[in-house]
Amino acid sequence: MEYVTALQHMQPPVPMTLNVDAVGDRLIVTASGEFDLESGQVLQQTLSDALDHAVGGLELDLAGVEFCDCSALNVLLRVRHRALQASKSFILCAISPAVARLLALTNTLPLFTAERQPRIAKSSGDDQVAENTHAQCA
């Protein structure tokens, strides 16, 4: 008889990707994958380094993020705090439905939007047109 543990049925983690591009005096970080406790340290380090090198500020494109938990939100809040201390902006220019839900539930979206609302990416199974599609990164 063969015993199968729950760990043997778990899917491997979705890879996380972070790309940093310079546009003028701002840096744009484009993220995709899953952001949770395990990936939080990489997210924190990448955003902190980008913020240190950005003269004007940092824009974050989270349209490709499939999952985002409160540990990732804490990273975003810490980076926002550092940006404010350095007199730099830190805004979300695009978010996925998963990120939009987390930010709505925690009422934190206004902290990351400045004057414009982020573009909300359409999920693969959703036929509803996303609101605020006019905002683009940079």
Side-chain angles (χ1 to χ4, degrees):
M1 180 177 274
E2 187 176 325
Y3 293 97
V4 179
T5 67
L7 289 176
Q8 291 170 319
H9 286 296
M10 291 179 61
Q11 296 291 328
V14 173
M16 169 188 67
T17 60
L18 295 163
N19 295 307
V20 181
D21 296 302
V23 176
D25 67 344
R26 307 182 60 71
L27 290 180
I28 299 173
V29 178
T30 304
S32 63
E34 294 190 0
F35 292 91
D36 55 18
L37 187 59
E38 288 183 29
S39 60
Q41 190 172 21
V42 173
L43 180 62
Q44 174 79 46
Q45 188 63 51
T46 301
L47 294 178
S48 293
D49 290 347
L51 184 63
D52 290 343
H53 291 92
V55 175
L58 195 58
E59 293 186 24
L60 187 54
D61 180 341
L62 299 175
V65 174
E66 300 163 12
F67 176 81
C68 185
D69 69 7
C70 289
S71 62
L73 176 59
N74 284 329
V75 169
L76 298 180
L77 291 169
R78 282 192 298 272
V79 172
R80 178 185 178 272
H81 181 72
R82 283 194 62 229
L84 290 173
Q85 288 180 324
S87 299
K88 296 179 182 181
S89 65
F90 177 59
I91 62 169
L92 302 179
C93 58
I95 55 177
S96 68
V99 174
R101 178 172 165 72
L102 176 65
L103 297 177
L105 288 172
T106 58
N107 200 29
T108 53
L109 181 61
L111 298 175
F112 301 104
T113 56
E115 301 85 38
R116 64 182 185 185
Q117 292 295 308
R119 174 179 52 86
I120 300 175
K122 199 164 115 174
S123 65
S124 59
D126 188 7
D127 292 332
Q128 179 182 5
V129 177
E131 296 179 23
N132 304 316
T133 57
H134 63 278
Q136 299 293 321
C137 291

